[in-house]
Amino acid sequence: MMEEQQKAAEKQEEELIEELEQEITELKMRNTELEQLSHTEDNLHLLQVYSSLCSPTNTRNRPEISMKTHESLETLRRALTQLKDTIDEKLTLTVSAELKVMQQYAVDVTLDPDVAHRKLILSDDGKQPSGLSGPHRSGQGQLQKIMSSVSLTEDVQLNKVEKVWKPSVKRSGRADEDEPEFLKTQELFKHMESVLNQLTPQMFQPLMKQVTKLTIDTEERLKGVVELILEKAISEPNFSEAYANMCRCLMGLKVPTTEKPGMTINFRKLLLNRCQIEFEKNKDDDETFEKQKKLDAATGEEEKQRLKEDLEDVKEKARRRSLGNIKFTGELFKLKMLTEFIMHDCIVKLLKNHDNEKNLECLCCLLSTIWKHLDLEKTKPRMDQYVNQMEKIIKERKTSSRIRFMLQDVLDLRRLNRENRL
């Protein structure tokens, strides 16, 4: 519908331009005649042609036409920002109301540390899990599914048995689980998770003071901290600037490496390696392939529908993860933690594989973040090449309308940035 409206507007514009050109030609001719007449000394000739030249022309009064795309774009952005703030406020109120309902069905439970998962850390009173023994939280999705399946309208009754099974030998996944250093590492991860969960631009300074007091003196601890920050930044791209600033503060942190005695490894190198791995890997490909294979082999309609929803869920999670990582990468570049060469390499790879719309969406996200910092006079020829490729993709119309509009927004943003500099 929008494309049809655009074609109709362009046709109307062409007709209007043609009419205006004709009127301009007529007015120029009349102006020339009046100019010549002003110099004549023949009063009789002047009286003869004066009436015809002073008659009104066929020109029409038209309303002023102005196209201010940047103002419309800014209006749209402000509206979307206001909408986001409204939604966040409504979600906060909804979550608070749901928590009050859930508290009515709270049950006092004491967890048994002997049968708990070996990576689960229990609180001192045994009432709740206080964290995981490491940066990986692979069971979080399953836990959410279990919680969502519980009905809030039914009373929950726990069955008590007389003979509770207990292992004859205490389980120990690692030989050093009870060692002081191991416990300190888990406590570090727990404290770091707590800081990340509270991190906002307003709380940045006091929370960073807490982080600087943490003991991050081994390679395992440093890798764990890097993993926690990266996962948080990817899952919460709206706060990627705050996470990037945290990384900037920790950039000089270095610890001895276990592989090469006497050598050290620093925070920046570990972080950039993880970002590069996250950018280059397509971990959703294997899972997507398996889901697609099962979907093709399915026969029942219900099974097909379920597998189709699972496949879409996997693709959506991969898309969000890619966008979160590319947004975080752009924020790191703005803080000069990444070089221009790395940014150009990312852009080239995304443009090269433009058949995948996820890559084009990541490209738009990256360029929207770093245009002002990358589009300099010395890099203008190279940036112009990117613009030409993006314009070509738009004209080919092989991608969805959503992606084409995103590409056009990025091009408009670049034009506005250059106009502001001039």
Side-chain angles (χ1 to χ4, degrees):
M1 183 181 64
M2 293 180 66
E3 291 173 354
E4 291 176 358
Q5 292 177 356
Q6 180 180 353
K7 290 180 180 179
E10 290 176 353
K11 183 178 179 181
Q12 183 180 3
E13 180 187 279
E14 291 174 358
E15 295 175 353
L16 179 60
I17 291 175
E18 186 176 354
E19 291 181 10
L20 290 173
E21 288 177 347
Q22 292 177 357
E23 293 178 7
I24 290 171
T25 302
E26 293 176 2
L27 290 172
K28 285 182 177 180
M29 293 176 60
R30 177 166 294 194
N31 182 66
T32 302
E33 293 176 1
L34 287 171
E35 183 69 23
Q36 294 175 355
L37 187 62
S38 67
H39 299 288
T40 183
E41 297 179 358
D42 189 347
N43 295 332
L44 179 61
H45 177 67
L46 174 62
L47 294 175
Q48 288 175 346
V49 299
Y50 177 77
S51 59
S52 62
L53 291 177
C54 291
S55 61
T57 62
N58 296 325
T59 58
R60 293 182 296 169
N61 292 327
R62 296 180 175 85
E64 182 183 356
I65 301 173
S66 61
M67 296 295 293
K68 298 180 180 180
T69 56
H70 64 283
E71 293 184 0
S72 302
L73 184 61
E74 289 300 324
T75 302
L76 177 61
R77 286 175 178 166
R78 286 195 297 269
L80 291 176
T81 301
Q82 184 177 1
L83 175 62
K84 177 183 175 299
D85 294 340
T86 303
I87 292 175
D88 290 341
E89 182 180 355
K90 295 294 183 182
L91 285 176
T92 302
L93 295 176
T94 303
V95 171
S96 300
E98 291 178 351
L99 286 175
K100 290 181 180 179
V101 175
M102 294 177 65
Q103 288 173 356
Q104 300 177 8
Y105 305 96
V107 181
D108 188 14
V109 177
T110 301
L111 304 176
D112 188 347
D114 291 332
V115 297
H117 192 276
R118 65 185 182 86
K119 289 189 176 182
L120 194 64
I121 301 175
L122 302 182
S123 59
D124 296 336
D125 56 2
K127 298 294 184 181
Q128 61 182 354
S130 58
L132 299 179
S133 61
H136 302 286
R137 294 168 286 184
S138 59
Q140 187 174 3
Q142 289 80 351
L143 180 59
Q144 291 176 349
K145 292 182 179 179
I146 294 173
M147 293 178 65
S148 62
S149 65
V150 177
S151 174
L152 298 179
T153 58
E154 299 178 0
D155 292 335
V156 179
Q157 299 293 335
L158 297 181
N159 297 326
K160 297 182 179 180
V161 295
E162 296 181 356
K163 297 181 179 180
V164 179
W165 177 87
K166 292 186 179 181
S168 57
V169 180
K170 183 177 180 180
R171 180 255 328 133
S172 179
R174 289 178 44 164
D176 57 350
E177 281 188 350
D178 295 328
E179 294 295 327
E181 288 301 314
F182 174 81
L183 297 177
K184 287 181 181 179
T185 300
Q186 308 316 309
E187 187 65 25
L188 167 67
F189 293 151
K190 176 183 174 182
H191 198 155
M192 195 67 196
E193 281 184 331
S194 176
V195 169
L196 292 172
N197 289 334
Q198 303 174 61
L199 186 64
T200 60
Q202 296 77 15
M203 291 291 294
F204 183 82
Q205 293 295 338
L207 290 175
M208 273 308 304
K209 290 182 180 179
Q210 296 182 30
V211 174
T212 54
K213 294 179 181 179
L214 297 178
T215 305
I216 309 175
D217 53 358
T218 66
E219 185 174 357
E220 179 186 7
R221 294 173 182 175
L222 186 60
K223 287 182 176 179
V225 169
V226 168
E227 188 74 17
L228 287 172
I229 297 176
L230 179 62
E231 289 297 321
K232 201 68 174 177
I234 290 176
S235 61
E236 297 180 357
N238 290 335
F239 295 100
S240 58
E241 184 176 357
Y243 295 122
N245 282 322
M246 174 178 281
C247 294
R248 172 73 175 178
C249 296
L250 298 174
M251 182 172 63
L253 188 61
K254 59 177 64 175
V255 297
T257 179
T258 56
E259 296 181 357
K260 298 179 179 179
M263 303 293 291
T264 60
I265 187 168
N266 59 54
F267 178 90
R268 180 178 179 274
K269 183 177 181 180
L270 287 174
L271 177 65
L272 299 189
N273 286 342
R274 283 292 293 114
C275 289
Q276 181 179 3
I277 292 173
E278 191 68 33
F279 176 79
E280 293 180 350
K281 73 179 180 182
N282 292 314
K283 68 176 185 179
D284 60 307
D285 286 353
D286 293 337
E287 189 174 1
T288 302
F289 177 77
E290 291 297 328
K291 295 285 185 182
Q292 186 65 54
K293 187 176 179 181
K294 291 181 180 179
L295 178 60
D296 296 337
T299 55
E301 290 299 326
E302 292 184 1
E303 184 181 6
K304 283 185 177 181
Q305 183 62 28
R306 180 181 60 81
L307 291 174
K308 185 178 180 181
E309 292 176 357
D310 290 344
L311 179 61
E312 293 300 323
D313 184 55
V314 170
K315 290 182 178 180
E316 179 63 18
K317 288 180 179 178
R319 185 186 72 87
R320 291 181 180 179
R321 189 171 184 86
S322 298
L323 289 174
N325 182 60
I326 207 72
K327 172 72 173 174
F328 181 57
T329 302
E331 295 295 340
L332 292 177
F333 169 72
K334 288 165 62 175
L335 295 175
K336 302 186 183 302
M337 292 186 67
L338 295 177
T339 63
E340 293 183 8
F341 174 80
I342 294 177
M343 290 296 97
H344 286 296
D345 185 57
C346 292
I347 294 173
V348 170
K349 288 181 179 179
L350 293 172
L351 277 172
K352 185 177 181 181
N353 300 317
H354 65 267
D355 293 338
N356 188 338
E357 290 197 352
K358 184 179 73 173
N359 290 335
L360 291 178
E361 190 171 3
C362 289
L363 173 69
C364 293
C365 178
L366 180 60
L367 291 177
S368 299
T369 306
I370 66 174
W371 261 132
K372 290 183 179 180
H373 303 268
L374 191 64
D375 189 20
L376 307 175
E377 287 302 322
K378 63 179 181 180
T379 59
K380 185 179 182 300
R382 192 165 187 177
M383 302 304 294
D384 289 340
Q385 293 180 5
Y386 301 152
V387 170
N388 293 335
Q389 288 182 265
M390 294 166 67
E391 290 177 342
K392 182 179 178 182
I393 294 172
I394 295 174
K395 292 179 180 178
E396 288 177 349
R397 306 176 68 85
K398 293 181 180 180
T399 58
S400 63
S401 299
R402 182 178 71 90
I403 297 299
R404 294 202 300 273
F405 284 128
M406 290 180 66
L407 290 170
Q408 188 61 53
D409 285 343
V410 172
L411 296 179
D412 292 341
L413 179 62
R414 192 230 184 180
R415 177 178 57 80
L416 290 174
N417 288 336
R418 296 195 68 83
E419 289 178 356
N420 292 333
R421 288 179 182 177
L422 295 176

